[in-house]
Amino acid sequence: MKLRVPILFAAMVMVVNAGAQTPAPEQLDFFEKKIRPVLSERCYECHSAQAKKLKGSLFLDSKDGILNGGDNGPAVITGDIEKSLLIKAVRWEDKDTRMPPKKKLSNAEIADLESWVKMGAPDPRISASVASAIDKLQTEAAKHWAFRPLKLPPVPTIANRGNPGANPIDAFIIAKLAEKDLAMSPEADARTLCRRLYFDLTGLPPTLEEVEAFAQSAIRNPNFALESLVDQLLASPRYGERWARHWLDVVHYGESHGYDKDRPRLNAWPYRDYVIRAFNNDKPYARFVQEQIAGDALFPGTTDGIPALGFIAAGPWDAIGHQEVAETKIDGKIARHLDRDDMVSNTINTFASLTVHCAQCHDHKFDPITQEDYYSLQAVFAALDRTEVSYYADDALMRRYVGLRQQVKEATDAIAALEEPLRKQAGDKLTGLNRSIAGASVKSIKPEIGGYHSALSPEQDAVKWVQVDLGRTVGIENVTLLPCYDDFNEIGAGFGFPVRFKVEASDDPEFKSGVALLWKRHDQTFMTDFRNPGLSPFVTGGACDDGIKGRYVRVTAVKLAPRKDDFICALAELQVFDASGANVAQGRSVTALDSLEASPRWGKTNLTDGIAPKPRSTEDKQKLTQERTALLLSFADAETKSKLASQRRLLRESEAELKKLPPPSHAYIGAIHNGGGATFRGTGPDGGKPRPIFVLARGDVQRPGKPVGPGAISAIAALPARFELPPDANESDRRAALAKWLTDDRNPLTWRSIVNRVWQYHFGHGIVETPNDFGKMGAAPTHPELLDWLAVTFRDDMSGSLKKLHRLIVTSATYRQSATVSEASAGQSADVDNHLLWRMNRRKLEAESIRDSILAAAGQFDLTMAGPSFQDFVMTQAENAPHYEYQLADPEDPKIHRRSIYRFIGRSQQQPWMATMDCADPSILVDRRTETITPLQSLAQLNNQLIVAMAGHFAERVSKLGATPEEQVAAAIHIVFQRDATAEERAALANHARQHGLTNACRAILNLNEFVFVD
């Protein structure tokens, strides 16, 4: 396949890193005279963009290609010739990797390559034309407002225009209004302003007493009253819950995977709690960003460093594409490409407000973002997968946990290093002892103890299945799989146990309908290869869904176990237990996709014959382990023995201390980290090693072009676009580099983005009306000087304090304006959409605030914070996929009366009432919710079962506050609207209560416009 060179900037092999060490002239001269000719003449035929058939995914025609490497890893480790695969290949040390394969390089050429690697592999391959292209790119970017460096603009001087305060925001707004001969509207009344502040800062309504107290205080000292109330609300734990909901919209947080099988993520909620905690603690914004990208690397041993990484895994995830399709297959590559695209899009949309994902098929059509920029961002996340990790919600415990794991790792590594020469001397004796320790008791291995053995496969990703016919439909309690034991090729215990598999039940022998998943941890366990269990039984017990029945039980392997030069699936026994504890599979017939029939050892019938190898007893293992230790020590000198004893003692003590720690919490995140003593692994190849990333022609995974290393966007000239990391850098160093790039003071995008988002949530639209798109196709800022003043002030004077930013905005006269407008107002003709903010925008409440306000009015509101989400649905299983049945939930169940931020959020089937009320779709990035007004909303508000139930509780509450219908409806108006009812309202609602009951009158009150709008 001939590889195309991607257009425009794909020829760039790297972007010059401002601050990167420049090679000395003599080093560059050495490269040009000694190295480039050898690479060009002897290597490019198979390892360049012009190669007819690229070998090993390795490009040697660029610096990035050499350092990133191909299928086997980096070709060069700068400064280290022994670890550099290029040097090993040209030395012809391994017959399988001899390069060039036809004729070995001369000794002089090999020596030159060795010298080049020792000096750091200086590589000047960036041409004048490419440098010119970079300059052109950055020059083009500088023309657009979003990429220009941040500078603090002067605050406008307002003379004789009735400036109502000293808040600088008002000066910018008034100056812009003056250009249209407009003026601000009068200030809203105390009740309206109080309700506005409560809903904006906490998402909940005030009480009548709180409104009246504010109004009285405002009469005496309006500024003091306002500032005191704002400080009180910002200090409330309800503030974090309110603003976390906005943030979770932006990052498309959900608690199920999405796609066709949409399985739940039961441990996604720690990320939600992290966001709430971060807002309540007023975490500096730079740290807030850094924790979500690389908390494990930048802040190891802290409580927030782990659950914050839920940001990376917040979006939808193709469970089938990752679990059941191998990464080597085209569909598997596509699934992982799309997963990285989601990570990149979420990161750059959220923090930098750019549509960088538009560059995955070609250079961005409108913005100065290249394909290479996009794939460099993918390279940052190249090792990541979604997985669950353990952590402690206490900094001291977390530090202890990380420290002990580090001690275990160091002691284990030290023992291995000390034993390495001893193992070589021990030879076959040690091999025999190791097999005995891991295997079955020799006495138990008889010729007839075998099991089911699939046909051999040359590919590990081949699918194999075997199933048992139970003879009738049975209620299944659990399924147990017993591993095999075989001495063939020294495989031993666990021989053939599948690496990835699932266990299912059905009444259909072909498993085309009515399939139920028996292994509930299928989602989580499939994210990593299943380790060889030895002879330990695998049991689904305790993880089966209640009520699963079936006549047939099938085990499907989608990744086979390695043998010598092929792959298989082998099981000694499949047991199915019913509620009585009986094995209903024993003696039953077995069918399989294929089977190696080699009686008496191997055959389908052996799977249910009740015979399996027994694991060696604990006593035997201890005795053999002691023999192994004694054997190794017999080859050790006194010093080595002493060091081994010390390290083993340290290992025992560290492991014992780890066992004393309380059970950890678990969080669903996207990360792999091998530093700081912690090892969090996903399904990346080679235990977390970053996958090679290439510029894909037209975004096609089958058309890889130039390899790229980790980086960001070239358009910001002040910052390096490619991250030059040391050779021994961990995967997490890539994310740490991106986190620092995003939060650098010189990055104008990040600081403009966040202040614009906060402004939008207070006023209904941002200074830039496209909060996720600051590019050329997005909206221009209505107040560019104000945007930059806010960004610089937030970054520098406020040190990234969101609470200080809120306080500045909501205490401004601009925010305090009335939303009431007359038809004759000058603003109606000059600025009908109120872009210039000559009045306040009337705001409709979000679905969550409406629901929470209903619960509060009913007196049923549970303000319990944190922890697993409540589920306002009943989950049923159909066709191996869950259904979220919201209509089956009990509206009187106290567990669902918690605040809406703690509601379990599924993707494929959203809560119908919430969706009707414009709740965010968790499958997409929602930078700004739609605000619709439809008849369907009124019907839903009137008939939703939770609202009907809460109307009954509301009626019961107000019935105790008045003796007559007039008094009762007046009390209801007090509770819901924090004001007195008008005479007309009292009469109409009281009459309605007499005719249709107080509950229906309360339902009507909860459906009034005033209930869902804040002026």
Side-chain angles (χ1 to χ4, degrees), residues 4 41 87 92 104 107 146 178 236 349 462 523 526 554 671 684 692 707 713 772 776 799-800 815 906 937 967 999 1002:
R4 297 182 183 178
E41 295 170 13
I87 302 303
W92 282 30
K104 187 178 180 181
N107 291 336
S236 167
N349 270 157
D523 267 9
F526 257 40
R554 175 181 285 193
I713 297 168
N772 268 17
K776 292 181 180 178
S799 301
Y815 179 85
Q937 291 173 343
E967 292 173 344
T999 296
C1002 287

Side-chain angles (χ1 to χ4, degrees), residues 217-238:
S217 180
I219 293 173
R220 296 189 296 271
N221 190 331
N223 287 335
F224 176 79
L226 178 68
E227 291 171 0
S228 297
L229 179 58
V230 169
D231 290 342
Q232 172 193 327
L233 296 178
L234 290 174
S236 167
R238 311 282 84 82

Side-chain angles (χ1 to χ4, degrees), residues 676-706:
T679 302
F680 306 130
R681 293 182 54 186
T683 57
D686 300 326
K689 172 184 165 186
R691 304 167 175 90
I693 299 297
F694 307 94
V695 175
L696 304 181
R698 303 301 301 173
D700 186 349
V701 298
Q702 298 182 78
R703 299 168 65 191
K706 287 281 188 179

Side-chain angles (χ1 to χ4, degrees), residues 368-642:
I369 302 169
T370 69
Q371 254 197 306
E372 188 164 338
D373 285 343
Y374 170 81
Y375 285 102
S376 293
L377 285 163
Q378 274 215 11
V380 172
F381 302 101
L384 300 194
D385 291 273
R386 296 151 196 259
T387 188
E388 286 196 352
V389 300
S390 301
Y391 77 102
Y392 287 94
D394 175 87
D395 279 355
L397 266 178
M398 190 65 191
R399 285 192 294 270
R400 180 70 173 151
Y401 176 66
V402 170
L404 287 171
R405 290 187 64 173
Q406 177 67 15
Q407 290 177 21
V408 168
K409 181 178 184 299
E410 289 175 353
T412 302
D413 291 347
I415 292 169
L418 289 166
E419 287 185 344
E420 178 62 27
L422 309 181
R423 286 194 292 269
K424 291 180 180 178
Q425 295 178 65
D428 293 341
K429 291 182 180 180
L430 179 64
T431 301
L433 280 171
N434 285 337
R435 286 167 52 195
S436 295
I437 292 170
S441 170
V442 175
K443 294 179 181 178
S444 71
I445 302 302
K446 300 176 182 179
E448 68 272 18
I449 301 181
Y452 160 74
H453 188 310
S454 74
L456 306 180
S457 171
E459 296 183 355
Q460 189 171 23
D461 302 319
V463 174
K464 304 285 186 181
W465 60 261
V466 60
Q467 70 186 44
V468 177
D469 179 358
L470 303 178
R472 58 187 176 85
T473 299
V474 175
I476 299 171
E477 183 68 18
N478 61 60
V479 174
T480 297
L481 306 180
L482 299 180
C484 297
Y485 183 90
D486 200 321
D487 287 333
F488 178 76
N489 281 334
E490 301 180 357
I491 291 179
F495 167 75
F497 203 89
V499 176
R500 297 194 189 181
F501 62 99
K502 57 183 176 180
V503 185
E504 298 168 306
S506 177
D507 282 332
D508 176 8
E510 296 185 3
F511 279 74
K512 292 181 178 179
S513 63
V515 179
L517 184 67
L518 281 158
W519 186 15
K520 192 174 183 180
R521 287 188 62 80
H522 173 276
D523 267 9
Q524 299 148 4
T525 308
F526 257 40
M527 283 187 255
T528 56
D529 289 348
F530 191 86
R531 292 183 179 180
N532 186 322
L535 288 176
S536 299
F538 170 81
V539 185
T540 64
C544 294
D545 289 333
D546 292 338
I548 286 187
K549 298 180 179 180
R551 172 173 173 171
Y552 303 93
V553 174
R554 175 181 285 193
V555 177
T556 303
V558 295
K559 187 172 183 181
L560 304 179
R563 214 176 56 132
K564 178 72 173 176
D565 297 313
D566 46 38
F567 304 91
I568 63 161
C569 172
L571 297 170
E573 195 77 8
L574 189 156
Q575 300 171 334
V576 180
F577 294 95
D578 62 15
S580 70
N583 176 16
V584 294
Q586 187 161 336
R588 296 295 180 180
S589 63
V590 178
T591 54
L593 177 69
D594 53 43
S595 175
L596 178 69
E597 297 291 324
S599 182
R601 193 70 187 275
W602 302 113
K604 295 191 297 292
T605 57
N606 291 356
L607 189 64
T608 57
D609 62 2
I611 303 173
K614 296 178 181 179
R616 189 175 296 281
S617 69
T618 303
E619 293 76 12
D620 282 349
K621 285 187 177 182
Q622 289 175 345
K623 182 179 178 181
L624 288 167
T625 301
Q626 291 170 357
E627 290 182 23
R628 179 175 63 183
T629 302
L631 175 66
L632 288 172
L633 290 177
S634 68
F635 296 99
D637 56 29
E639 182 182 0
T640 302
K641 289 178 181 178
S642 176

